[in-house]
């Protein structure tokens, strides 16, 4: 195999008059895969002076948490701190994606700013039926310590202001496979 690669490179050098870059594959050491378990609370506040999430296309009619159609199509951008001792933030967006139940399509990056995984992040993607406990979303990638990650997050609504839905705390139980 190595001889064929060397012959190919020599042929490129002899017969090519264009500029090129030689990319030589290198052997990488096989790292063992790890599973990391993270447990935290995510605080989402869509109202008041300390709002952490903003609707970017608010509807004219008022939102009624008992009527999923009143939220359908609303897209919200969030930069939410995790509750209690802040260890990071959840940055992303969620949109109401159902006319028949309160369900969001979520795309979030959880950026960790403290502790062992400071500077790392993981990506969460999926369908979030907010009145179902528990519910599961997928981990589909990450950076830093969570590069090449995959896994899942189990979510439970810990607290929700049922009058306005403006203040919500979600418990996250996250399992991440990474190298």
């Amino acid at each position: 195999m190595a001889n064929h690669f060397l012959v190919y490179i020599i042929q490129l050098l002899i017969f090519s008059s264009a500029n090129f870059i030689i990319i030589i594959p290198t052997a990488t050491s096989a790292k063992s895969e790890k599973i990391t378990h993270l447990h935290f609370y995510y605080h989402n506040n869509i109202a008041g002076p300390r709002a952490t999430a903003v609707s970017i296309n608010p509807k004219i009619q008022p939102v009624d948490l008992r009527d999923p159609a009143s939220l359908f199509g609303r897209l919200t951008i969030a930069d939410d701190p995790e509750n209690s001792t802040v260890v990071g933030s959840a940055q992303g967006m969620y949109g109401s994606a159902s006319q028949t139940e309160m369900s969001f399509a979520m795309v979030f990056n959880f950026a960790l700013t403290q502790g062992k995984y400071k500077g790392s992040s993981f990506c969460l993607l999926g369908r979030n039926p907010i009145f179902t406990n528990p519910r599961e979303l997928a981990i589909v990638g990450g950076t830093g310590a969570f590069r090449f990650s995959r896994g899942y997050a189990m979510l439970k609504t810990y607290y929700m202001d049922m009058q306005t839905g403006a203040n919500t705390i979600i418990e996250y139980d996250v399992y991440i496979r990474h190298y």
Side-chain angles (χ1 to χ4, degrees), residues 45 55 61 64 74 105 117-118 133 137 139 147 150 157 167 173 175:
N45 186 10
S55 179
Q61 80 267 19
D64 180 354
R74 182 178 291 227
Y117 300 110
K118 179 180 180 177
N133 279 322
L137 280 80
I139 304 298
R147 194 174 294 136
R150 65 193 189 286
T157 301
N167 191 7
D173 212 4
Y175 293 86

Side-chain angles (χ1 to χ4, degrees), residues 15-156:
F15 298 111
S16 176
S17 60
N19 294 332
F20 63 92
I21 298 173
I22 298 175
I23 299 173
I24 300 174
T26 59
T28 58
S29 62
K31 292 182 180 180
S32 62
E33 191 173 52
K34 303 173 213 148
I35 297 178
T36 296
H37 176 226
L38 302 173
H39 183 249
F40 55 87
Y41 293 86
Y42 154 92
H43 186 197
N44 189 51
N45 186 10
I46 61 170
R50 309 203 86 201
T52 59
V54 177
S55 179
I56 62 171
N57 63 341
K59 292 195 169 207
I60 296 171
Q61 80 267 19
V63 171
D64 180 354
L65 291 178
R66 294 164 296 183
D67 179 13
S70 74
L71 266 177
F72 181 68
R74 182 178 291 227
L75 184 61
T76 303
I77 303 294
D79 185 2
D80 294 322
E82 292 164 24
N83 212 15
S84 64
T85 302
V86 176
V87 296
S89 63
Q91 300 167 334
M93 64 182 138
Y94 56 92
S96 179
S98 175
Q99 294 186 57
T100 58
E101 71 174 319
M102 220 41 102
S103 182
F104 296 128
M106 292 185 64
V107 179
F108 267 84
N109 291 306
F110 285 82
L112 302 172
T113 58
Q114 301 296 321
K116 179 178 179 180
Y117 300 110
K118 179 180 180 177
S120 298
S121 68
F122 60 91
C123 301
L124 180 128
L125 174 69
R127 180 180 175 271
N128 184 2
I130 65 171
F131 291 129
T132 301
N133 279 322
R135 52 207 182 264
E136 182 175 337
L137 280 80
I139 304 298
V140 296
T143 65
F146 300 122
R147 194 174 294 136
F148 294 118
S149 66
R150 65 193 189 286
Y152 66 95
M154 298 301 291
L155 285 63
K156 289 182 192 170

Side-chain angles (χ1 to χ4, degrees), residues 1-10 12-13 20-28:
M1 175 76 177
N3 287 338
H4 293 294
F5 182 73
L6 186 58
V7 169
Y8 176 72
I9 294 298
I10 291 171
L12 278 176
L13 290 171
F20 63 92
I21 298 173
I22 298 175
I23 299 173
I24 300 174
T26 59
T28 58

